[in-house]
Amino acid sequence: MAALRLACLLLLPPLVLLRGRAGAGPLCPRDTPSRDLKELGGLWRFRADTSERRDQGFAQRWYRRPLEQSGPVIDMPVPASFNDITQDPSLRRFIGWVWYEKEVLLPKHWLQDTFKTRVVLRVGSAHYYAIVWVNGVQVVEHEGGHLPFEADISTIVQASPGDPCRITIAVNNTLSPYTLPPGTIQYLKDESKYPKGYFVQNTKFDFFNYAGIHRPVVVYTTPVAYIDDITVTTAFSGNIGVVRYEVSVIGSSQYSLSLNLREKEGKVVATGQEAVGELKVVDPKLWWPYLMHENPGYLYYLEVKLSAQVDEGLTEDVYTVPVGIRTVHVTSSQFLINGKPFYFHGVNKHEDADIRGKGLDWSLIAKDFNLLKWLGANSFRTSHYPYAEEIMDLCDAYGIVVIDECPGVGMKDIENFGNQSLAHHLVVMEELIRRDKNRPSVVMWSVANEPASELPPAANYFKTVIAHTKAIDPTRPVTFVSNANYARDHGAPYVDVICVNSYFSWYHDSGHLEVIQLQLNTQFENWYETYHKPIIQSEYGADAVSGLHSDPPLMFSEEYQVAVLKQYHAVLDKKRKVYVIGELIWNFADFMTDQAVTRVLGNKKGIFTRQRQPKPAAFVLRDRYWKLANESSCLPRTVQYYNV
Ligand code: GCB
């Protein structure tokens, strides 16, 4: 009870007023002929509220004046996790409210054309609960990391043109049983062992709980009458591609639309004028996964132009969405993309790196995509939360297929399956789908990773979450990733694809490589016999500390990791001929976790180190993935060999 009280105290500030929309506008901010964009990356002022109840910032209203007037501040990069930036161990493990602040001068024309310009502040993601003020006025609050949120700040910034605008963001990383992911706060009261008031945050997931402002903060403009959302779904029949679209407009009921669907080179291939319609493309260039076609990730561009009447006259807005024409279907034993069987040979990742933690980093993103291509990986799962839009854009462009996972990870206690959690989970799925619905790379939603799906309440919980997800997006299959016993999993009846994790000879029968094939075979047969649904081996692997060797292979050596992979591959090679539709290694790269006796400066199941250097397992996987790609596709020889 005390733990819960503290969780609530840390999470909720006194007297929070909800203003503005809690979610983000569905359209990712872009520079267009009618919109401007200003990134607020760089160093922000930063202060952790170290008061016992973490409530000093609210009691003293730190947002009312420049943060440095409240006490000592330091420089903190945005985007980045705050944990690994300083030499202060107490900041690394800090739980509670931290405060960020930046002053920004906005262009004059944004502030003076008040009848024409709408100014919006958008945060790409902040972990986990955030409240935002502009010039001391609260504009938005948002629960949950990994997803964007925004607020219309026009009236505030336009009230004082010429003055710098002060943006204050308070972020709280406390997790409660009802957040996603969930966690608990534990007070340790034995004063012979712990200082007075000592508490820790406990979680049941296996990655370090990085916090801060992880993705870009931007200010952008739209006209006052603007394109609020564009939804696109695609299909094809014979040589005709179909792009169904729906445009929603805010700020005027008197408007006209003009839509142009362009090829990559700019040629218009179809046009429309209605808010809801269907565009037909003759001989469409389909969106194909990487290594399934010589020209993967082909994108058309749907340019939407709005001409709207507002009180002061006519205003125009333009927004362009990339469109990949492709279909997705699931049968009892196959996953079909554009009607052809698709085999996922890919990875699970994390947003994780030295120093920046989960902060967006373009160099890391570029390196990771180069490694994926080198590896011959055609897919990844966004384990265990939605990744940055910048990453997802590249998946669309490169043809990397994505299983898009929400932050439903570490749901191990019965309390995580109550109505409060459920209501929040539904909102998170809405926000995720609103953000990623138009992406051709996203072929399936994953609503959770390894929940305690054997608990009876999991039945109704997953039935509801999956039904809700399908109701919002009827075009994509839905799954969650299970490590439960096939006969007792209450969520599996509702999924389209069975995703199963197993660590034979690691967490069970440690060191016994000889049992892997039997156990894996049994696993697949049990699941398939029970459900007759296609199966993805959504995690498997072993820790290898880079540079540790042992022959015969012993646990934690590079040789052992390779040996585990080879045992799994022997069975996968049989089962992929029948109903196994994919294999995703755990993990792409080593990553930071909480400290534990089973973790050596983090989880070492990466086939690359945290610094992205290959372990021997990476070469084994690379051989395999290129072979799989060559087998299942009709790639020209130039693509078949990948020589670096
Ligand atoms: C799992 C989890 C993943 C862990 C991994 C491991 O089953 O889904 O989050 O990191 O195992 O290495 O234990």
Side-chain angles (χ1 to χ4, degrees), residues 287 297 299 362 365-367 369 373 380 388-400 402 439 441:
W287 186 95
L299 296 174
W362 276 112
I365 291 173
K367 180 73 177 175
F369 275 102
K373 288 183 183 172
F380 65 76
E389 288 149 287
E390 291 80 351
I391 297 175
M392 303 300 285
D393 285 346
L394 292 179
C395 291
D396 289 337
Y398 298 157
I400 301 291
V402 177
R439 299 186 176 284
S441 60

Side-chain angles (χ1 to χ4, degrees), residues 15 81 95 109 140 176 187 206 255 322 367 463 521 566:
L15 272 180
S81 302
I95 301 295
H109 66 276
V140 67
S176 82
Y187 263 121
D206 182 37
Y255 62 83
K367 180 73 177 175
K463 184 177 175 196
N521 195 64
K566 288 190 169 163

Side-chain angles (χ1 to χ4, degrees), residues 136-180:
V137 179
Q138 186 183 321
V139 292
V140 67
E141 65 182 300
H142 183 257
E143 180 177 354
H146 316 284
L147 288 166
F149 55 95
E150 67 177 28
D152 182 336
I153 60 169
S154 318
T155 45
I156 299 169
V157 293
Q158 287 165 349
S160 50
D163 291 347
C165 129
R166 185 165 43 82
I167 298 167
T168 314
I169 307 183
V171 185
N172 195 321
N173 58 352
T174 311
L175 295 172
S176 82
Y178 318 111
T179 54
L180 274 193

Side-chain angles (χ1 to χ4, degrees), residues 29-45:
R30 294 187 210 281
D31 267 322
T32 83
S34 58
R35 299 173 176 219
D36 286 333
L37 178 72
K38 194 176 166 70
E39 287 224 19
L40 307 185
L43 293 178
W44 287 48
R45 282 180 285 275

